[in-house]
Amino acid sequence: MLRMDHWINGAPVPPESGEYLDVHEPATGARYAHVAAGDTRDVERAVQAASHAFPAWAATGVSERGRMLERLADLIDQRLDDLAAAESMDSGKPVSLAREVDIPRSASNLRYFAHAVQHAAGEFFDFDGGGVPGGARAMNMVLRSPRGVAGCISPWNLPLYLLTWKIAPALATGNTVVAKPSEVTPRTASMLAELSAQAGLPAGVLNIVHGDARAGSAIVTHERVPTITFTGSTAVGRWIGAQAGGMLKRVSLELGGKNPFIIMDDADVEAAIKVAARAAFRNQGQICLCGSRLLVHERVLDRVRAGIVKAAETLAVGDPSLADTQFGSLVSEPHRAKVSRMVESARSLGGRILTGGGPVDPARLPPRCRGGSFYEPTVVEGLDPTCEFEQEEVFGPVVSLRSFRDDDEALRLANGTKYGLAATVFTRDLSRAQHFARSLAAGIVWVNCWMVRDLRTPFGGARHSGVGREGGSEALRFFTEPKNVCIAG
Ligand code: NAD
């Protein structure tokens, strides 16, 4: 059976405790690997290696750091098939999705930040003395230096995609990294560690500690890790925020969402339905940006209802390792149980299940997948917007449908949760689009599209969806310490 150890100081390292966690293939339910169960001792070793490597890495020129990250991106491209197959096996996502999105985007993350750091403009302020008679003139320039060891903690839904989204800017700006991928999907992080050595990253620059909350919390609370970037659930994010606050660490939290997807009566309804189906069911609904609340103008409700139900019922559900599968398995059995519980609560609150509403019938699956964690694409209608199901993240292939009468009601519903990650509006009316873009409580508003991601833009959530922004210059700022130098004259 495959065994995955930590990657510390440029080599595989078994856990000090000797303990390993089971790793399952969710599409079959079979255990196929063991992964190191890291604890404070492993984290200590990784932080030591990263601290030791930091001065030389910080002193390496940006072009040389960029070249190494580009080499790593090239190696990811070369291993596209293997990495996509591993990601699919580990997470249950269709291999086509991993090939088209997860793995190419991981390479893009590295390539983008390798370049961005070389082209980033500095800040300069020519000071005229503040208008005070005799006030001193001066020139101010802002120097930015790496902060040290960055702790990068990522979830299971987009494993390599989100891991590289964090480590690329951290490394490009000259920090060294102790990363912890999700214990549920550790495979591609292990593969990345090996590729990093081939790309020429010096030992200790990128360290991967595997394991669960024990390893994660040891990184968060380590006194020599001043920067923490976390993507995951709001509950864990809240805990990390409290720890980081107490220790005066810099922290970025990318958390959950309950994202509205609004279809106006003037929209291109057919296009909107197509995109809404993708937003609801892509990656089995396990994307933080998924549009899980479909808000539809009452004049087009019947068309949208019929369209989304048809889209759910015609998705090619099956073995994620097959090229033509569009919809695979949820990530684990405990996660399927959670999704199931939430759908049952919706049913008990009077929600009408228009399609789906339960595990996929094993008879519809190939024999190899009959023990897998498949759940049907599900559409629910008729729930009170204040009920738990409409307020809390399900993080599964489940979308609720609700009509509205006018723009004010649409906005009230859209903004009526504690979250504020992403929102989508379909309309042909530009001024309506602008009004919604201004009024929606969200870190990202998509108009007539969904999940179009330009890596230069700020990414993150408002309210309980997070603290801080990643992406583009936000990430370069996050991972560096500014120092203003004021020169008189
Ligand atoms: P999770 O919070 O359970 O775990 C995320 C990571 O944190 C894992 O690596 C886990 O081992 C680690 N962890 C758990 N407890 C910890 C602790 N006490 N200290 C430090 N680390 C700890 O989340 P998950 O179930 O893996 O992922 C799903 C969640 O992630 C969803 O809520 C989803 O919305 C969110 N998510 C958000 C974004 C975003 O960009 N906003 C992107 C993807 C996923």
Side-chain angles (χ1 to χ4, degrees), residues 83 100 115 140 150 172 175 206 218 236 244 267 284 338 379 428 468 482:
L83 286 162
E100 284 157 29
H115 293 186
N140 292 284
N175 300 274
L206 172 63
V236 174
Q284 297 70 247
K338 180 207 155 188
V379 183
R428 286 188 173 107

Side-chain angles (χ1 to χ4, degrees), residues 10 38 47 77 114 162 194 232 253 260 264-265 309 363 413 418 453 485:
V47 173
D77 287 343
L162 288 174
E194 282 161 22
L253 303 171
M264 301 295 192
D265 51 344
V309 167
L413 289 166
K418 66 184 177 197
R453 290 279 301 113
V485 179

